[in-house]
Amino acid sequence: NAGVTQTPKFQVLKTGQSMTLQCAQDMNHEYMSWYRQDPGMGLRLIHYSVGAGITDQGEVPNGYNVSRSTTEDFPLRLLSAAPSQTSVYFCASRQQGSNQPQHFGDGTRLSIL
Amino acid sequence: GQQVMQIPQYQHVQEGEDFTTYCNSSTTLSNIQWYKQRPGGHPVFLIQLVKSGEVKKQKRLTFQFGEAKKNSSLHITATQTTDVGTYFCATARQLTFGSGTQLTVLP
């Protein structure tokens, strides 16, 4: 079982470039989420999805887009990268139900120059 | 959205000392989860608390949920170097995490 797989693990972008962070899970989980982690600020929710075709904004959605065309995949798109988006990005998934634990990918370390 | 405040932000302890991190919410929580993130790693689920006043133990770790379900704590007895990392509380329903407590254990 691969669990939650994120690609790439590292990425350096120039300001203004766009890119997509990939996230895939093989556990048939309905819920998927994207977080960013900055020093001293914990994990902040960017976007989440409760099922295929359904997405919603989290705490810090500006500058990011998501889509959920399949249960397995939940890509995160940076439309025009800015230095403020330099961060570590984590994707997570869980089964439906608020008492279910989240399973995290290994993260993508993104630097915007 | 529902927020949880976590203190302290950092804690340095000597190996063998105890450690406690606290998680507080201004609203009643349906449940609370605790995660551990090792340096350079990803958060890993530790435990979930659901009932008012609930206490759960995992070896040297003791987790408590307040009677009013507005606060929670994680206590580690006799810390070891393997306990190093950042501990987060999280509200499961809102997918919201506290800011975390970074634990350093000095040998």
Side-chain angles (χ1 to χ4, degrees):
Chain A
N1 243 357
V4 180
T5 302
Q6 290 185 240
T7 56
K9 294 191 184 304
F10 303 93
Q11 184 70 51
V12 178
L13 293 177
K14 294 181 179 178
T15 298
Q17 287 185 316
S18 63
M19 84 158 293
T20 299
L21 307 185
Q22 301 292 342
C23 177
Q25 53 94 6
D26 61 359
M27 297 173 283
N28 203 31
H29 286 172
E30 294 89 350
Y31 279 60
M32 296 188 74
S33 309
W34 275 103
Y35 295 87
R36 61 176 290 174
Q37 185 172 34
D38 303 295
M41 302 194 71
L43 294 154
R44 292 185 291 169
L45 183 64
I46 304 172
H47 287 284
Y48 66 99
S49 169
V50 300
I54 306 169
T55 63
D56 207 345
Q57 296 181 350
E59 181 186 356
V60 289
N62 293 339
Y64 307 95
N65 275 358
V66 291
S67 60
R68 184 94 181 271
S69 56
T70 67
T71 300
E72 294 78 17
D73 300 300
F74 191 41
L76 178 72
R77 297 183 189 84
L78 280 70
L79 307 174
S80 178
S84 61
Q85 294 178 305
T86 293
S87 189
V88 180
Y89 291 84
F90 287 101
C91 178
S93 73
R94 69 170 170 86
Q95 292 180 340
Q96 192 173 20
S98 63
N99 62 343
Q100 298 299 319
Q102 293 206 75
H103 300 261
F104 284 81
D106 290 337
T108 294
R109 284 148 182 82
L110 182 63
S111 293
I112 315 296
L113 304 178
Chain B
Q2 196 170 52
Q3 290 187 333
V4 287
M5 306 301 294
Q6 198 170 347
I7 56 171
Q9 187 174 358
Y10 302 97
Q11 185 78 59
H12 294 225
V13 300
Q14 206 73 33
E15 189 173 17
E17 292 182 337
D18 292 356
F19 159 78
T20 305
T21 174
Y22 301 89
C23 189
N24 299 298
S25 170
S26 58
T27 59
T28 303
L29 302 170
S30 57
N31 55 20
I32 195 157
Q33 297 176 343
W34 284 92
Y35 292 77
K36 176 183 179 181
Q37 183 179 25
R38 295 183 186 275
H42 59 270
V44 175
F45 175 77
L46 293 176
I47 209 162
Q48 175 171 266
L49 304 171
V50 178
K51 299 177 183 177
S52 169
E54 189 170 16
V55 178
K56 287 187 176 181
K57 292 190 176 183
Q58 288 180 349
K59 297 183 181 178
R60 295 178 294 103
L61 279 60
T62 301
F63 303 84
Q64 291 190 313
F65 203 8
E67 293 290 342
K69 300 182 73 173
K70 289 186 176 182
N71 56 73
S72 181
S73 66
L74 158 59
H75 179 83
I76 302 178
T77 303
T79 54
Q80 300 175 358
T81 54
T82 54
D83 296 325
V84 164
T86 302
Y87 294 84
F88 293 98
C89 61
T91 66
R93 187 184 300 276
Q94 301 294 330
L95 304 174
T96 301
F97 282 72
S99 55
T101 296
Q102 186 175 321
L103 173 64
T104 301
V105 179
L106 305 171

